[in-house]
Amino acid sequence: MPVQHTIFGRTVPYSGKLPPRRILFVLGLVSFFAVAAAVLSIQSSTSFSSVSSVSKLSGTAHSAAQHIHKPKLPKLTSISIHNPFRASAHKPPVQANSTSGEAQWFTDWKWLNPFSSSITLDENRSVLPPLKNRPPIYTFYDSTSKKDEGSRAAENDLLFIWRRAWWAQGFRPVVLGRAEAMNNPLYQKLQSLQLEQTLETEFAKLLAWGNMGTGILADWLVLPMGYHDDHLLSYLRRGEYPKLTRYEGLGSGLLSGEKTAINVALQRAMDSSELKQAKSIIDAFPKDTFDLDPDHESIAFYDNTTITSRYKSIGEKFVSSSSQGLGLLAQLVNAHLHTTWQNSFTKGIAVLKPIPIHMTALVEPGLQIAAFLAECPESPIPTSCPPNRPKCKPCVAAHPLLISTPTMFRNDSSLYTIGTVPHPYTFASLSSQRDNLDTPYIRRQTSRDPWISAATKELLGTGISGAPRVVRFKEAVASDYGSTHSLWLTAEKESPKDLEWHFGFAIPHNKTDKGESQTPVPGPERLPRPPKPDVPVPTDTELAKEKDLLEKARTAIRSKVRPQQVMKEVVESWNLADTEAWRFSRAFAARRRVERIKWEEDERNFAGAAGSGHGDGWGRWFDKGKA
């Protein structure tokens, strides 16, 4: 049955044939124009009717927009450091005395910026903190007095100890003589007074001090025998002395003041009618000349009274031979300085070893220095204490200072830290036990900044990038506190030869006999067992391989061959924080050495003015062999 087509219930006739195409075309065209006309008419009517509405709402919308919160976004202008399209800048000018070998540095208060290159625009130049001002401390040595050769040599040894101890405490030691006293306008008046020889020499000492200016005057038997952060030493390091001050019980052994006040006080003393009745230099001044400070626990004075009462064996030696007595005194003073340092760090010495495996050869120099510092110094009276510290703990060979090798840096005031910072290339070579590094191995099989991440793990934890770790490391190396509680070496350079100037005393290099005997009972069961190490001790073969790899890494880092330099740069780029720490510690140690050498050169130019010339006597005051 055929299909019936209906619409609205009515049958539509359908023959099965479509109408002609032209009819379809005409119908479609008419439909299109009809729809288009309808749309255009609707849009035009809407636009005309909304003109008035928009004008009415514009005022309301504008006022509402004033109350909408608008976030303040940073504007990347041409002067912003964050703008990658900013103009390039020149490198800061090279400062004087800012290089030593391959180490380069730039002094700036922005030294705690994580990466120095953002300031210096130089990958190899580290930013260091400004040098601390070293206030001058003067002593007077009359080289014109007649003494035998042995006594003069022993006094030169004591002067050397005096200079080294005060330098280590942050001062600039200067030895004065008759030449400085003669430059003071009051010297001619002193000659006309015809005073007794001892009193005249004391006045000459003060005249030399007044000629030089504001500072500290100390006898060369007055030494800093206390902690670095002691309040008196901290006050003296500031370099400001508003009043003439002397210290109770020290006589004229330690004085501080300004140049004007010094010369005014000298003028008053010389004009006094009671001058010739004075028995000491202090008695020659009016009582209101000096402020008296009773607190000086960090200062030791080895005068005649102290030697005869506290160190009788040395006092007796002075009676028979002055030169031998002075020699024993020099040995005693050095031992007391060493003992005071040991008493400052009751928890011992920590030789930092962040990655304990395959790093024994790397930290060997640090362990050797720690062993020397832990030794008991040679002393004529081993159980004695400094005169200002009668309750000290003398060093006992059977119980030396504890030496540990922690894997993390600890910020502990009673623990001295010795760290050896490796170049990332050296670290990668030792940790992988291979001397042929390549880029795929560095990028795929090593982590970034492994050394500093392990060293600061206890301070900062894990999951922190290298930038904040570098900041904490720089504080540990170069801050006021850190520089006196730690020593940082670089693995690619031999141990510095001037460490005695850093610590302030001669470091022993011979093992001390502990005075212990083996148990007479045979068999190992009664012998004390050595402590178990935290990590396996490397065998002789493994240690020899570590030393060989360490030496090859040193050669590779210094190499001028282009492929080797490229590999070094690859490792440095992969370990930016470790590289920054290595360069910073290298530059800080180099600048410390340059500062001391420059001071010695300046002092050597004026040494002859004291009357002893440039011969052996003054040469002993300069550590020529340890520069």
Side-chain angles (χ1 to χ4, degrees):
M1 183 175 180
V3 178
Q4 297 292 326
H5 297 276
T6 60
I7 182 170
F8 300 115
R10 296 183 181 184
T11 303
V12 178
Y14 177 68
S15 61
K17 296 182 180 179
L18 293 174
R21 292 189 176 183
R22 59 179 176 274
I23 297 176
L24 295 175
F25 177 76
V26 172
L27 292 175
L29 189 63
V30 171
S31 301
F32 172 77
F33 279 107
V35 172
V39 170
L40 291 176
S41 62
I42 293 173
Q43 288 182 350
S44 61
S45 62
T46 304
S47 61
F48 283 117
S49 62
S50 61
V51 170
S52 59
S53 300
V54 170
S55 60
K56 293 178 181 178
L57 294 174
S58 60
T60 305
H62 178 73
S63 60
Q66 301 298 322
H67 301 284
I68 298 177
H69 175 68
K70 298 179 181 179
K72 294 183 178 180
L73 301 176
K75 295 182 179 180
L76 298 180
T77 61
S78 59
I79 61 174
S80 174
I81 193 173
H82 304 289
N83 187 358
F85 305 105
R86 67 183 185 277
S88 59
H90 291 286
K91 296 180 181 179
V94 177
Q95 298 169 336
N97 300 319
S98 63
T99 58
S100 178
E102 296 182 354
Q104 306 173 31
W105 59 88
F106 180 79
T107 299
D108 194 271
W109 288 108
K110 301 176 184 176
W111 64 280
L112 283 179
N113 190 295
F115 299 103
S116 300
S117 59
S118 63
I119 297 174
T120 62
L121 306 181
D122 186 348
E123 293 290 341
N124 295 317
R125 190 174 296 274
S126 299
V127 179
L128 299 181
L131 279 172
K132 304 293 186 300
N133 178 45
R134 290 181 175 268
I137 181 167
Y138 304 104
T139 194
F140 183 84
Y141 181 72
D142 192 358
S143 60
T144 61
S145 59
K146 295 182 180 181
K147 296 178 181 178
D148 62 273
E149 185 177 350
S151 297
R152 190 173 296 278
E155 289 178 350
N156 285 337
D157 288 338
L158 283 166
L159 281 167
F160 181 79
I161 292 172
W162 179 87
R163 288 158 48 88
R164 184 174 58 197
W166 282 106
W167 176 266
Q169 288 288 353
F171 296 87
R172 183 182 179 88
V174 180
V175 180
L176 307 179
R178 282 279 173 176
E180 285 80 12
M182 294 171 65
N183 286 337
N184 194 311
L186 296 175
Y187 186 78
Q188 293 183 355
K189 186 171 185 177
L190 174 64
Q191 295 298 304
S192 64
L193 294 175
Q194 298 182 352
L195 299 175
E196 187 266 332
Q197 182 61 39
T198 303
L199 188 60
E200 192 272 343
T201 302
E202 289 293 315
F203 264 103
K205 177 172 69 173
L206 295 179
L207 288 174
W209 179 34
N211 176 69
M212 297 302 294
T214 301
I216 309 164
L217 179 66
D219 191 284
W220 45 275
L221 292 176
V222 170
L223 293 108
M225 205 74 66
Y227 305 149
H228 190 273
D229 54 357
D230 176 80
H231 66 277
L232 176 58
L233 294 177
S234 300
Y235 162 73
L236 294 176
R237 273 194 296 268
R238 295 172 191 158
E240 299 177 358
Y241 319 107
K243 296 181 180 180
L244 275 177
T245 306
R246 68 181 183 90
Y247 298 86
E248 187 176 358
L250 300 182
S252 61
L254 185 66
L255 307 173
S256 61
E258 296 181 346
K259 181 175 183 178
T260 303
I262 297 167
N263 290 318
V264 169
L266 285 169
Q267 182 71 57
R268 290 178 60 192
M270 291 182 181
D271 292 339
S272 175
S273 58
E274 301 178 356
L275 176 59
K276 292 189 177 182
Q277 284 75 35
K279 296 181 180 180
S280 67
I281 187 66
I282 298 299
D283 295 337
F285 289 92
K287 293 183 179 181
D288 61 345
T289 302
F290 295 95
D291 276 9
L292 186 63
D293 190 344
D295 193 3
H296 51 82
E297 296 178 357
S298 58
I299 303 298
F301 190 13
Y302 294 84
D303 58 351
N304 292 331
T305 304
T306 301
I307 293 173
T308 55
S309 62
R310 292 178 177 271
Y311 317 109
K312 294 182 180 180
S313 60
I314 297 178
E316 293 171 357
K317 185 62 68 174
F318 268 98
V319 177
S320 59
S321 174
S322 176
S323 60
Q324 293 183 10
L326 288 170
L328 292 176
L329 180 61
Q331 197 176 57
L332 179 71
V333 169
N334 183 79
H336 286 172
L337 288 167
H338 193 168
T339 300
T340 301
W341 183 89
Q342 291 179 339
N343 290 173
S344 301
F345 302 101
T346 56
K347 292 185 180 179
I349 305 172
V351 181
L352 192 61
K353 196 176 182 181
I355 307 296
I357 306 298
H358 303 314
M359 297 294 163
T360 302
L362 184 75
V363 301
E364 228 176 31
L367 285 170
Q368 188 178 41
I369 294 172
F372 290 154
L373 291 172
E375 287 183 24
C376 293
E378 187 176 355
S379 173
I381 311 176
T383 59
S384 64
C385 288
N388 62 315
R389 304 179 65 84
K391 296 183 180 180
C392 77
K393 294 182 180 180
C395 182
V396 180
H399 303 283
L401 206 62
L402 178 65
I403 299 176
S404 60
T405 55
T407 58
M408 294 171 285
F409 173 75
R410 292 185 173 92
N411 187 18
D412 192 335
S413 60
S414 58
L415 182 69
Y416 192 84
T417 301
I418 299 178
T420 303
V421 187
H423 187 276
Y425 187 98
T426 303
F427 185 88
S429 179
L430 287 174
S431 60
S432 64
Q433 292 289 282
R434 53 188 289 184
D435 56 358
N436 55 341
L437 301 178
D438 51 55
T439 303
Y441 171 77
I442 296 297
R443 294 292 302 272
R444 297 171 185 171
Q445 300 186 39
T446 64
S447 57
R448 290 180 181 268
D449 307 315
W451 186 88
I452 199 169
S453 297
T456 59
K457 184 178 179 180
E458 185 173 288
L459 291 177
L460 300 175
T462 58
I464 295 180
S465 65
R469 296 184 187 276
V470 171
V471 173
R472 294 300 298 269
F473 173 81
K474 291 182 177 182
E475 290 178 341
V477 174
S479 66
D480 291 341
Y481 171 85
S483 60
T484 58
H485 288 74
S486 62
L487 173 68
W488 298 89
L489 315 172
T490 53
E492 292 69 30
K493 194 173 183 179
E494 295 181 357
S495 299
K497 299 179 180 179
D498 59 349
L499 288 178
E500 295 180 349
W501 288 89
H502 175 74
F503 292 103
F505 51 84
I507 301 175
H509 292 79
N510 298 317
K511 285 290 183 181
T512 306
D513 184 9
K514 295 184 179 181
E516 297 177 345
S517 60
Q518 295 289 343
T519 173
V521 180
E525 66 277 359
R526 296 294 302 273
L527 294 176
R529 296 182 180 180
K532 293 183 179 180
D534 297 334
V535 296
V537 178
T539 63
D540 294 341
T541 303
E542 293 173 339
L543 187 59
K545 184 177 181 180
E546 288 183 15
K547 292 181 178 179
D548 180 61
L549 289 173
L550 181 59
E551 190 59 36
K552 288 182 178 179
R554 291 170 176 170
T555 304
I557 291 172
R558 294 191 298 264
S559 176
K560 302 299 180 183
V561 180
R562 184 55 187 165
Q564 187 59 57
Q565 290 180 334
V566 171
M567 191 63 237
K568 172 189 169 185
E569 293 171 358
V570 168
V571 178
E572 290 177 347
S573 300
W574 187 249
N575 301 277
L576 293 177
D578 278 359
T579 304
E580 177 72 14
W582 178 78
R583 287 175 177 158
F584 185 87
S585 56
R586 179 185 64 170
F588 186 77
R591 188 182 69 169
R592 182 177 59 210
R593 177 175 175 271
V594 168
E595 180 192 14
R596 184 183 64 83
I597 293 176
K598 180 67 169 56
W599 162 69
E600 289 191 350
E601 290 176 352
D602 293 344
E603 284 300 294
R604 188 174 286 114
N605 294 334
F606 297 97
S612 60
H614 295 274
D616 294 337
W618 278 93
R620 294 172 64 89
W621 295 355
F622 300 95
D623 199 6
K624 295 179 180 179
K626 298 183 179 182

